[in-house]
């Protein structure tokens, strides 16, 4: 009897905790897609899904409202609907990551571990009169994977990995061009790759272009591309990824998914890119056992880390290399990809139902898979509107985010978005993974207890 209590109590507590998180009316902050610059971008508040009793009012604060009675910077009354989103006049401001997590911070100094995330100075609290109902903040998640108990024992294919599409397509000082075409239609993220990783993104998608720049260093010839344009050099991004995994110990999946410029019928260019990856990332990349045709998505994070502390899983089409046999242990064959690119919203919903409900007719196989939630320029042209990449993401992302909050989220593997910051994709993935890891770790025990009780 005593033994049962000891074992059952944490289980019950955990189920109650999960229940209480889902109850009530969650209110959270995201970064809108409104600003010309990131610094000038407005924050947005989100509430729901399914707030049956919305709070009377919501306050936005620059400091933690639970430690003192600060006046809110902004007060919003009367959230009538059960689910919603509202852009505020509060700007994101200059990004500064605490705890040694800025890119320019000294990488040799130890960083502060933030197992449950760390708030940036933007908080949102909801109230009924003076009664505090919820508090949340805009937060970074540089260590979430390592700190979810038991997630490291789950195969990669069963982990919900929050991702970005066209991850390197960011405007920056080193960008090739700042034309309106590039800025409005080809740039796909407002946070650079370093910041994406700090916010908790763990899957990066790269489209690579090759152009001979006539420099001494072959690395200078490789660029991030999007829709047939070169956007920004690849090398700095690879170094950011490497620096991040060394500092954080997190696992990141890098997907070299397309090669639109300069690769066609040039296996030697693929080879040259592969050499660059081996040189820059080789000592951090997971090496699979080629002789038993190992699927990287079947491995769990703990095994990947145990193998000499390797943190990167590199997806790359090895068949394009001239000698795939002697090069393919460093790279994993690509995972299955599904994209909503050419679909409207209702078709996207149907497609997600097919993919995420894991019914027998689902095309998703028992391996790693990626759902890319994007809508292409062509798609909006069909509806006779020319929407910018931000406008398209502003419509699509919140919907996909909401649909994943139901049972479908449990079946997600990689979900990748353009401009992910107008969603709470990372928090959602963390919640789903914690829940799944808990169920997995207790499965044997639960089954056993049911047998014993019967
Ligand atoms: C807010 O307070 C009112 C009256 O005190 C109560 O009826 C209502 O259920 C409360 N709402 C929430 C969300 O707690
Ligand atoms: C609530 O929903 C209604 C109908 O869907 C809409 O007209 C209204 O603008 C929404 N209000 C808010 C505050 O979002
Ligand atoms: C790879 O797999 C083969 C066949 O299962 C096994 O004999 C070998 O020891 C493995 N190699 C490593 C490095 O694990
Ligand atoms: C790969 O193998 C081929 C022949 O099988 C050989 O010519 C080539 O040098 C090898 N490359 C490397 C990097 O080992
Ligand atoms: C989406 O596309 C389908 C097929 O072209 C069409 O039947 C449907 O009306 C469209 N839905 C919307 C909301 O535009």
């Amino acid at each position: 009897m005593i033994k049962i209590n000891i074992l059952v109590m944490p289980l019950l507590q955990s189920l109650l905790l999960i229940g209480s998180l889902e109850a009530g009316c969650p209110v959270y902050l995201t970064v809108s897609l409104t600003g010309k610059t990131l610094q000038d971008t407005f924050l947005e508040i989100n509430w729901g899904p399914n707030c049956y009793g919305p709070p009377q009012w919501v306050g936005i604060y620059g400091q933690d409202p639970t430690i003192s009675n600060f006046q809110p910077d902004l007060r919003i009354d009367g959230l009538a609907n059960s689910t919603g989103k509202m852009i505020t006049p509060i700007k994101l401001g200059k990004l500064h990551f605490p705890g040694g997590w800025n890119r320019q911070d000294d990488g040799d100094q130890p960083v502060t571990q933030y197992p449950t995330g760390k708030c940036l100075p933007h908080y949102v609290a909801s109230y009924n009169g003076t009664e505090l109902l919820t508090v949340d903040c805009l937060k970074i998640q540089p260590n979430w994977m390592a700190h979810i108990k038991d997630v490291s024992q789950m195969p990669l294919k069963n982990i919900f990995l929050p991702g970005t599409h066209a991850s390197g397509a960011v405007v920056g000082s080193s960008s090739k061009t700042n034309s309106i075409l590039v800025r409005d239609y080809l740039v796909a993220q407002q946070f650079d790759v370093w910041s994406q990783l700090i916010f908790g993104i763990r899957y990066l998608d790269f489209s690579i272009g090759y152009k001979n720049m006539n420099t001494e260093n072959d690395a200078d010839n490789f660029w991030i591309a999007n829709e047939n344009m070169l956007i920004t050099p690849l090398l700095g991004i690879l170094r950011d990824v490497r620096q991040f995994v060394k500092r954080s110990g997190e696992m990141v999946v890098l997907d070299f998914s397309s090669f639109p410029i300069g690769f066609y019928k040039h296996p030697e260019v693929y080879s040259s890119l592969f050499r660059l990856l081996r040189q820059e990332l080789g000592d951090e990349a997971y090496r699979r056992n080629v002789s038993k045709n190992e699927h990287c998505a079947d491995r769990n994070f703990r095994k990947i880390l145990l193998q000499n502390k390797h943190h990167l899983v590199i997806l790359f089409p090895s068949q394009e290399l001239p000698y795939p046999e002697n090069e393919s242990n460093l790279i994993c064959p690509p995972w299955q990809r599904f994209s909503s690119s050419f679909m409207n919203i209702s078709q996207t919903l149907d497609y997600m139902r097919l993919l995420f409900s894991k019914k027998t007719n689902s095309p998703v196989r028992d391996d790693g898979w990626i759902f890319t939630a994007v809508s292409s320029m062509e798609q909006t042209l069909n509806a006779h509107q020319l929407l910018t990449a931000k406008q398209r993401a502003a419509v699509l992302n919140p919907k996909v985010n909401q649909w994943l909050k139901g049972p479908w989220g449990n079946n997600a593997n990689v979900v990748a978005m353009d401009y992910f910051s107008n969603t709470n994709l990372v928090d959602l993935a963390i919640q789903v993974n914690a829940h799944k890891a808990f169920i997995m770790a207790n499965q044997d025990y639960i089954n056993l207890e049911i047998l014993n009780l019967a």
Side-chain angles (χ1 to χ4, degrees):
M1 208 49 215
I2 291 170
K3 177 164 169 273
I4 287 176
N5 271 337
I6 290 170
L7 291 171
V8 167
M9 281 318 287
L11 175 64
L12 285 180
Q13 273 165 2
S14 177
L15 290 177
L16 287 175
L17 179 71
I18 289 161
S20 73
L21 285 177
E22 283 169 0
C25 182
V27 180
Y28 58 94
L29 289 174
T30 48
V31 180
S32 73
L33 310 179
T34 50
K36 273 225 154 50
T37 67
L38 189 54
Q39 200 163 335
D40 288 333
T41 297
F42 295 123
L43 300 183
E44 51 191 12
I45 60 164
N46 306 262
W47 63 98
N50 305 328
C51 294
Y52 293 110
Q56 278 175 356
W57 65 279
V58 168
I60 299 194
Y61 301 81
Q63 308 171 70
D64 184 351
T66 59
I67 58 173
S68 186
N69 265 333
F70 301 116
Q71 285 304 306
D73 297 337
L74 178 75
R75 178 184 164 126
I76 299 163
D77 288 272
L79 306 181
N81 295 345
S82 64
T83 304
K85 193 176 191 61
M86 187 187 282
I87 294 181
T88 75
I90 310 251
K91 290 180 177 175
L92 176 64
K94 194 160 167 42
L95 263 189
H96 173 83
F97 298 133
W101 290 104
N102 293 304
R103 181 204 278 107
Q104 67 274 18
D105 291 340
D106 181 355
D108 296 332
Q109 296 293 320
V111 284
T112 310
Q113 296 287 311
Y114 295 125
T116 56
K118 170 74 180 172
C119 292
L120 297 177
H122 295 295
Y123 292 81
V124 62
S126 65
Y127 297 86
N128 204 8
T130 55
E131 184 196 354
L132 178 65
L133 302 175
T134 65
V135 186
D136 203 352
C137 60
L138 195 68
K139 49 186 146 348
I140 59 170
Q141 292 281 7
N143 310 110
W144 69 264
M145 277 191 132
H147 288 281
I148 298 181
K149 196 168 170 297
D150 301 317
V151 96
S152 64
Q153 293 185 51
M154 286 158 63
L156 293 182
K157 65 186 178 188
N158 293 342
I159 303 182
F160 185 162
L161 294 170
T164 49
H165 166 253
S167 310
V170 181
V171 198
S173 51
S174 53
S175 298
K176 197 160 166 52
T177 156
N178 275 323
S179 73
I180 290 179
L181 172 72
V182 171
R183 205 188 56 220
D184 286 354
Y185 297 97
L186 300 180
V187 163
Q189 303 295 335
Q190 51 186 357
F191 289 103
D192 61 18
V193 165
W194 176 267
S195 305
Q196 290 172 30
L197 294 169
I198 300 294
F199 277 108
I201 293 294
R202 293 293 174 268
Y203 163 93
L204 301 171
D205 162 70
F206 295 123
S207 184
I208 307 295
Y210 175 87
K211 183 173 191 222
N212 193 338
M213 307 299 288
N214 294 314
T215 62
E216 304 233 308
N217 192 353
D218 191 39
D220 297 338
N221 303 330
F222 291 100
W223 292 74
I224 295 291
N226 198 13
E227 310 247 10
N228 295 327
M229 291 274 288
L230 303 178
I231 313 276
T232 196
L234 175 64
L235 184 61
I237 291 175
L238 298 182
R239 293 192 172 160
D240 279 355
V241 170
R242 181 189 153 86
Q243 181 60 231
F244 173 76
V245 295
K246 282 182 102 72
R247 253 189 244 184
S248 67
E250 295 279 279
M251 199 254 351
V252 177
V253 177
L254 302 186
D255 190 357
F256 291 83
S257 65
S258 64
F259 305 87
I261 305 163
F263 283 81
Y264 183 64
K265 293 200 168 159
H266 284 286
E268 78 284 0
V269 176
Y270 281 99
S271 231
S272 169
L273 173 60
F274 175 78
R275 278 197 303 275
L276 176 65
L277 299 182
R278 188 172 53 194
Q279 170 195 314
E280 294 296 326
L281 307 174
D283 58 348
E284 288 291 337
Y286 173 67
R287 281 158 205 271
R288 74 196 174 100
N289 189 333
V290 183
S291 66
K292 63 175 179 191
N293 194 18
E294 181 181 65
H295 286 253
C296 297
D298 289 337
R299 302 314 301 273
N300 65 43
F301 174 39
R302 177 177 296 175
K303 291 217 182 85
I304 288 173
L305 283 186
L306 276 181
Q307 193 201 53
N308 302 323
K309 294 208 179 300
H310 291 152
H311 297 102
L312 294 174
V313 171
I314 300 178
L315 310 183
F316 190 98
S318 61
Q319 75 280 5
E320 305 290 354
L321 294 169
Y323 305 109
E325 324 74 45
N326 49 8
E327 290 169 337
S328 60
N329 77 330
L330 197 66
I331 53 190
C332 299
W335 294 354
Q336 257 190 307
R337 292 193 191 101
F338 303 92
S339 168
S340 64
S341 203
F342 296 99
M343 299 177 182
N344 64 27
I345 292 286
S346 56
Q347 291 167 318
T348 302
L349 176 62
D350 287 343
Y351 194 44
M352 285 181 68
R353 183 176 295 120
L354 179 68
L355 298 176
F356 287 87
S357 59
K358 288 244 169 133
K359 296 241 173 65
T360 46
N361 61 344
S362 167
V364 177
R365 287 192 303 267
D366 185 28
D367 196 358
W369 66 287
I370 297 135
F371 177 62
T372 307
V374 294
S375 75
S376 68
M377 206 174 349
E378 289 87 338
Q379 212 300 307
T380 59
L381 276 177
N382 290 343
H384 307 291
Q385 289 169 290
L386 185 60
L387 298 181
T388 65
K390 278 186 178 175
Q391 288 168 330
R392 283 175 263 142
V395 174
L396 180 63
N397 291 357
K399 292 211 152 58
V400 171
N401 193 217
Q402 197 180 326
W403 294 331
L404 290 170
K405 281 179 185 165
W408 294 352
N410 290 323
N411 295 331
N413 185 194
V414 174
V415 176
M417 292 176 170
D418 284 345
Y419 292 107
F420 75 102
S421 68
N422 67 342
T423 68
N424 69 345
L425 184 67
V426 172
D427 275 347
L428 174 65
I430 293 174
Q431 268 174 37
V432 167
N433 290 325
H435 181 71
K436 283 173 80 169
F438 176 83
I439 301 279
M440 188 199 67
N442 289 280
Q443 206 154 40
D444 294 341
Y445 164 69
I446 293 169
N447 291 342
L448 186 77
E449 279 311 310
I450 290 169
L451 280 180
N452 283 352
L453 292 174

